[in-house]
Amino acid sequence: STSDMRDVSGSRQDKARQAGNALYGSIHNQAVEPRMENESYTYVYGPERISTHRYSPCSTVSSVRRTFCLIALFDLCFCFILWVIYTQLTGSETVWEAFEQQVANYQFQTSLFDTVMVAALRFILIELGYALFRLNHWWLIAISTSLTCIFLITKVFLFEFSHDGKAENPLSYILLLTSFILTWIETWFLDFKVLPTEKKILLRGTHGEANERSGLLGRAEEGGNRVVHDDDKDRYYSPAGSDDEGEDRYRSLPPSRSHSRKDHEYLKIANETMDMLFELVREGGWITERESQGDMVQSAYIKKLKRKIFKLECTLDISPHELWKDTIDNVNDSPSWNPTLLESKTLLVVDEKTDISYNIAAEAAGGLVSARDFINLRHWGERDQTFFIAVNKATFPDMPPQKKYVRGESGPCGLVFNRVTGQPNRCKLQWFLNTNLKGWIPQAVIDQGLTGVLMDYCKYLRQHIQEIKGRSFS
């Protein structure tokens, strides 16, 4: 009868979500509490949870903020230890007399006990403001740094480094300099590490809307508003499939195809990049940076791009179409023959002529330029009887910046494969390189590094062309 039948009206998605929640709770021994009807908090799971007015009171302090508070504690302890050592070297008959002279008989011109008190004041302000009240603004650290600097500058002018006929104590210089340096380290760490990092986490939690590419458990439950932190996606356990599931369906899966409104943005960028690439082809005023055996690296400042662009020109023993086709189809295999690349993979196929790729460039200039990673949009085709691959920077939420690499940016650039008149099996390659390596790197180091990378690429490409010809004959 119908009364004996189970209610199976729930969707597969709801069941999968319930199963995932059960698995997640069993693995981590923590239950995901249901969202209350009158609750308007946004939850972000993971080790980087932060506690602000937008999050529930149970959230913990972020790890980067805890580190900042520990730096303030280190500042106080280090200044205190230096002052104790300094006091014992002042030349007094006993240690206690030295401490009495520094504390009980304190004088601004002869005692450094006030540097410890200033460090204690900084510690109290930082712990109260950024640990207890969890401020998200720089005004408090600005006040403490300003007051400390004013005090130290005044102290340097009025302090008697040698008095009562006693020799100068070198620790007096060290204590004053240490207090000054640690103060600015705290300011830098808060402004460049704590606040930007927590802002990213906050935006990730408040703008992490689910879409067709979101993780299953990242969706909110029945009107909920929960967001799963990106770092936690790899925590969910996927049980083994049943016996009737074949393995072939999981082999050689093609790169994912885009089905979002961002397609139009990608294609618009692709067309603009293609036009800019051919403007670079027509650009004059190139200055030769390096030349070797017919291979030439040139550079020019392009006013429209407001940046210095590099161009590689070389003639290769292969037809333009064959090299162009190999560059498009085998981009993921390029690190196998090109040591200047550590990794290359296709992230997204936009259409038959456009994709999004991820590349990691090896360090250059003898290690002066560290490894960089890039997310590039590629668009290829034939224009004016010339094969081309246009390249530009792109955004891809599923591939955030990596901790061990600096995220560089590519401007409008690309490769042009020209025919050589009367020689159908030869190709004149032009590679226009427009890149922003980020970081504090002198322009001379950038010029040296990129010039070397382009020349090395030409050498490795010739070796790869011999492999292509070998495969063709075999």
Side-chain angles (χ1 to χ4, degrees), residues 173-190:
Y173 303 101
I174 297 175
L175 182 55
L176 291 172
L177 288 175
T178 299
S179 182
F180 182 81
I181 293 172
L182 288 176
T183 300
W184 282 99
I185 288 177
E186 293 166 359
T187 304
W188 173 85
F189 194 84
L190 177 77

Side-chain angles (χ1 to χ4, degrees), residues 156-319:
V156 168
F157 280 101
L158 300 180
F159 183 73
E160 298 177 2
F161 290 95
S162 59
H163 57 89
D164 296 336
K166 297 178 181 178
E168 295 182 0
N169 189 338
L171 280 180
S172 59
Y173 303 101
I174 297 175
L175 182 55
L176 291 172
L177 288 175
T178 299
S179 182
F180 182 81
I181 293 172
L182 288 176
T183 300
W184 282 99
I185 288 177
E186 293 166 359
T187 304
W188 173 85
F189 194 84
L190 177 77
D191 202 23
F192 289 91
K193 292 293 183 181
V194 178
L195 298 183
T197 301
E198 293 188 343
K199 183 178 180 181
K200 290 180 182 178
I201 300 171
L202 180 63
L203 292 176
R204 189 181 299 167
T206 56
H207 299 291
E209 297 89 351
N211 51 49
E212 67 274 9
R213 298 183 59 78
S214 301
L216 176 62
L217 298 181
R219 298 181 181 273
E221 290 193 32
E222 298 296 337
N225 195 24
R226 289 183 184 160
V227 180
V228 178
H229 191 282
D230 292 340
D231 296 338
D232 290 338
K233 290 180 180 179
D234 57 352
R235 295 182 179 182
Y236 298 113
Y237 167 71
S238 297
S242 57
D243 295 336
D244 58 348
E245 291 182 343
E247 296 182 357
D248 294 338
R249 57 181 295 193
Y250 300 108
R251 294 176 180 170
S252 303
L253 290 177
S256 58
R257 297 189 65 90
S258 172
H259 298 287
S260 65
R261 290 176 297 179
K262 204 167 183 63
D263 280 0
H264 301 289
E265 298 178 17
Y266 286 143
L267 295 177
K268 180 182 178 181
I269 295 174
N271 291 325
E272 293 174 352
T273 305
M274 176 181 61
D275 294 337
M276 188 64 218
L277 175 61
F278 281 90
E279 287 187 30
L280 294 176
V281 173
R282 296 187 293 268
E283 181 71 27
W286 295 92
I287 301 174
T288 301
E289 298 278 349
R290 185 174 171 183
E291 186 175 4
S292 176
Q293 299 180 354
D295 303 335
M296 184 183 304
V297 176
Q298 298 177 310
S299 66
Y301 183 83
I302 309 301
K303 293 182 179 179
K304 187 173 182 179
L305 298 176
K306 299 180 180 180
R307 188 179 296 174
K308 186 177 182 180
I309 307 300
F310 289 84
K311 178 177 70 169
L312 168 67
E313 283 191 359
C314 59
T315 303
L316 305 168
D317 295 328
I318 190 173
S319 66

Side-chain angles (χ1 to χ4, degrees), residues 23-230:
L23 285 170
Y24 182 74
S26 63
I27 292 173
H28 299 283
N29 296 321
Q30 59 181 22
V32 180
E33 296 186 3
R35 180 179 180 270
M36 305 300 294
E37 294 181 359
N38 59 350
E39 198 172 12
S40 59
Y41 300 119
T42 299
Y43 292 86
V44 179
Y45 294 98
E48 296 295 336
R49 292 182 300 177
I50 64 175
S51 178
T52 68
H53 64 282
R54 292 181 178 269
Y55 291 85
S56 71
C58 65
S59 298
T60 60
V61 179
S62 65
S63 59
V64 68
R65 185 177 289 252
R66 291 195 300 270
T67 303
F68 172 69
C69 294
L70 286 175
I71 291 176
L73 178 60
F74 170 79
D75 177 11
L76 174 60
C77 296
F78 193 66
C79 289
F80 178 75
I81 292 173
L82 279 180
W83 173 76
V84 171
I85 298 174
Y86 161 81
T87 303
Q88 296 184 15
L89 297 178
T90 54
S92 300
E93 294 182 0
T94 64
V95 174
W96 294 112
E97 287 182 0
F99 283 119
E100 183 179 358
Q101 187 69 23
Q102 287 281 312
V103 180
N105 301 325
Y106 166 79
Q107 292 183 1
F108 186 81
Q109 292 82 2
T110 60
S111 175
L112 287 180
F113 180 67
D114 45 14
T115 59
V116 179
M117 299 308 297
V118 171
L121 178 62
R122 286 198 305 270
F123 172 75
I124 293 172
L125 289 176
I126 289 174
E127 297 299 323
L128 288 177
Y130 296 106
L132 182 61
F133 297 106
R134 300 179 187 178
L135 297 178
N136 290 312
H137 202 275
W138 47 263
W139 65 265
L140 184 60
I141 195 69
I143 292 175
S144 67
T145 301
S146 301
L147 294 177
T148 301
C149 289
I150 293 173
F151 163 77
L152 291 175
I153 292 173
T154 306
K155 188 78 173 179
V156 168
F157 280 101
L158 300 180
F159 183 73
E160 298 177 2
F161 290 95
S162 59
H163 57 89
D164 296 336
K166 297 178 181 178
E168 295 182 0
N169 189 338
L171 280 180
S172 59
Y173 303 101
I174 297 175
L175 182 55
L176 291 172
L177 288 175
T178 299
S179 182
F180 182 81
I181 293 172
L182 288 176
T183 300
W184 282 99
I185 288 177
E186 293 166 359
T187 304
W188 173 85
F189 194 84
L190 177 77
D191 202 23
F192 289 91
K193 292 293 183 181
V194 178
L195 298 183
T197 301
E198 293 188 343
K199 183 178 180 181
K200 290 180 182 178
I201 300 171
L202 180 63
L203 292 176
R204 189 181 299 167
T206 56
H207 299 291
E209 297 89 351
N211 51 49
E212 67 274 9
R213 298 183 59 78
S214 301
L216 176 62
L217 298 181
R219 298 181 181 273
E221 290 193 32
E222 298 296 337
N225 195 24
R226 289 183 184 160
V227 180
V228 178
H229 191 282
D230 292 340

Side-chain angles (χ1 to χ4, degrees), residues 374-409:
F374 300 82
I375 295 180
N376 293 327
L377 180 144
R378 298 194 314 158
H379 177 69
W380 56 85
E382 184 178 5
R383 179 173 174 177
D384 300 332
Q385 298 183 345
T386 299
F387 299 104
F388 71 89
I389 301 176
V391 179
N392 205 343
K393 65 181 179 181
T395 57
F396 195 74
D398 291 347
M399 183 60 73
Q402 309 295 313
K403 292 183 179 179
K404 57 182 178 180
Y405 300 117
V406 177
R407 176 60 54 88
E409 289 184 354

